[in-house]
Amino acid sequence: YYRVNYDERNWLALIGQLNTDHSVIHPINRAQIINDAWSLSKTGHLNMSIALQTLDFLQNDPDYVPWRAMSTELSYLDLMLGRSSVYGLFQDYMVKLVNSTFQSL
């Protein structure tokens, strides 16, 4: 088991594919992309904006596995931002992310 870090161009290509048609990437691999991006971001090896972009496709993805990865990673962010001035923005982001998938269930 190891982390995969790509150059920015390849991260953006993966994100583009996830946003265009996430179904061509297996749900476990989608979860691994999220997990790798967030783990690398937390250690300073990847820009947080890239990690955040790995979540955008979830608005159209009902599969449990990528959502579980997101939940695990964002619980860390929730803890870190809980007492900050940007926590309201984080909550707004989460509502936007979850709303369309929740509505489709």
Side-chain angles (χ1 to χ4, degrees):
Y1 176 71
Y2 57 93
R3 300 264 173 238
V4 178
N5 195 1
Y6 305 99
D7 61 25
E8 184 172 339
R9 182 178 62 85
N10 283 325
W11 275 112
L12 293 175
L14 278 170
I15 291 164
Q17 180 60 59
L18 290 168
N19 290 331
T20 301
D21 183 5
H22 64 271
S23 67
V24 300
I25 301 174
H26 192 278
I28 291 173
N29 298 118
R30 296 194 303 264
Q32 289 171 324
I33 290 168
I34 292 168
N35 186 262
D36 285 349
W38 283 84
S39 293
L40 291 164
S41 179
K42 286 186 270 187
T43 60
H45 292 94
L46 184 66
N47 190 305
M48 178 61 76
S49 68
I50 298 287
L52 281 167
Q53 289 176 67
T54 64
L55 305 178
D56 292 343
F57 78 97
L58 291 172
Q59 295 179 52
N60 301 308
D61 187 352
D63 282 302
Y64 171 78
V65 177
W67 277 95
R68 179 66 181 140
M70 180 276 301
S71 174
T72 299
E73 299 306 333
L74 287 187
S75 65
Y76 166 80
L77 193 56
D78 183 63
L79 184 65
M80 294 295 106
L81 295 177
R83 297 177 189 211
S84 77
S85 62
V86 297
Y87 190 64
L89 293 172
F90 172 70
Q91 288 178 314
D92 292 344
Y93 172 77
M94 290 304 303
V95 167
K96 179 183 173 200
L97 182 66
V98 172
N99 193 39
S100 61
T101 301
F102 180 76
Q103 295 296 323
S104 70
L105 298 176

